[in-house]
Amino acid sequence: MRIILAQPRGFCAGVVRAVDIVERALEKYGRPVYVRHEIVHNRRVVESLEAKGARFVEELDEVPPGAVTVFSAHGVSRAVEEDAAGRRLPVLDATCPLVSKVHNEGRRYLAMGRTVILIGHAGHPEVEGTLGQIPGEVHLVATAEAVDRLPIPPDRPVAYVTQTTLSVDDTRATIEALRRRFSDIQGPDTRDICYATQNRQSAVRELAGQVDVLLVVGAANSSNPNRLREIGTEQGVPCYMIADATELQPDWMRGRRRWGSRPGPPPRKPWCRK
């Protein structure tokens, strides 16, 4: 059996940075260190950090007075920041720099007198943080179809920002719908977009043309691996999401040709591991 690994794969730089902040905090301040929300939606990483002394909480009232506290890579709202300051918690902010950039862009557009539209998924931790970082009118949309339901006059100056865990492909239709509806609209330059999600989705599309079965290793509560699984399925390949090797089912591989049944040349060396 040939196993082909996608390239790129794994965590983005923002997540690696956040995990590193927690580990360094444990080394410097000792255990326990409290982390608001999972530092990353990956059970193995969370359990590894817990074994070293990290304690993951959902709300700051679960943090003892004076305990070192880390904000996760997803970012937090102003209300959470103010709550931490009011309780005098020593805080290490592990918010991804690109998420912070979205916060700054949203505030800048608001200061320009524009109504801000956030493209993202309701309830996602990053979205909740961004909504709470922009001190004014912000409308959340997840799809192009939702654009027509926005309670905003079409001639009002607007601007949009996007959830960083959505790719360029994920947001393209929604941005096009916004541009069709509003005559005065601004948004971030495509050069400012985080391409970690986009590149991994592109890797899955390329990989789907070379394999008989596609496995996405990720957590069920994480939007990125769920989207990768959807893309694999859209490409017509049996696609399964697993947290680790214990969830692998032998039946998924039965009846598959040893070297793959799809046409085309063998994979390039950077993609292939036996």
Side-chain angles (χ1 to χ4, degrees), residues 70-168:
V70 179
F71 292 155
S72 78
H74 302 96
V76 299
S77 67
R78 284 282 183 89
V80 172
E81 293 176 342
E82 292 168 359
D83 186 15
R87 300 183 65 212
R88 297 187 177 182
L89 295 175
V91 169
L92 300 174
D93 190 355
T95 301
C96 171
L98 287 169
V99 173
S100 296
K101 188 172 185 178
V102 171
H103 297 170
N104 292 332
E105 287 173 339
R107 290 192 288 264
R108 179 171 62 85
Y109 288 135
L110 190 70
M112 294 167 59
R114 295 182 175 275
T115 298
V116 179
I117 299 168
L118 171 60
I119 302 173
H121 296 148
H124 190 282
E126 181 189 327
V127 168
E128 294 298 317
T130 300
L131 290 172
Q133 282 285 343
I134 303 174
E137 184 179 357
V138 184
H139 297 265
L140 178 65
V141 295
T143 64
E145 291 73 22
V147 170
D148 289 335
R149 299 192 294 270
L150 285 170
I152 308 173
D155 59 346
R156 181 182 297 181
V158 301
Y160 67 86
V161 292
T162 70
Q163 178 182 330
T164 66
T165 50
L166 298 178
S167 71
V168 177

Side-chain angles (χ1 to χ4, degrees), residues 1-4 204 206-215 232-233 235-240 251-264 267:
M1 178 179 293
R2 174 173 293 174
I3 299 174
I4 307 174
V204 166
E206 184 172 346
L207 196 62
Q210 305 177 27
V211 299
D212 298 310
V213 177
L214 185 62
L215 301 175
T233 302
Q235 299 298 307
V237 180
C239 189
Y240 306 94
D251 286 346
W252 297 341
M253 310 301 166
R254 290 198 177 102
R256 308 295 175 185
R257 290 181 56 185
R258 175 170 177 153
W259 300 114
S261 59
R262 292 182 167 247

Side-chain angles (χ1 to χ4, degrees), residues 4-68:
I4 307 174
L5 302 180
Q7 181 64 36
R9 62 183 180 274
F11 299 133
C12 67
V15 167
V16 172
R17 172 182 175 272
V19 171
D20 187 52
I21 287 173
V22 175
E23 291 180 334
R24 292 190 178 202
L26 287 165
E27 292 173 2
K28 182 173 182 178
Y29 302 107
R31 55 194 302 162
V33 165
Y34 288 80
V35 185
R36 187 187 182 277
H37 196 70
E38 289 185 345
I39 198 73
V40 58
H41 292 311
N42 182 286
R43 196 64 232 161
R44 282 184 172 273
V45 172
V46 169
E47 289 175 352
S48 173
L49 292 173
E50 285 177 333
K52 296 176 182 178
R55 299 291 179 265
F56 293 90
V57 300
E58 288 303 313
E59 302 298 338
L60 290 184
D61 58 14
E62 301 174 59
V63 180
V68 174

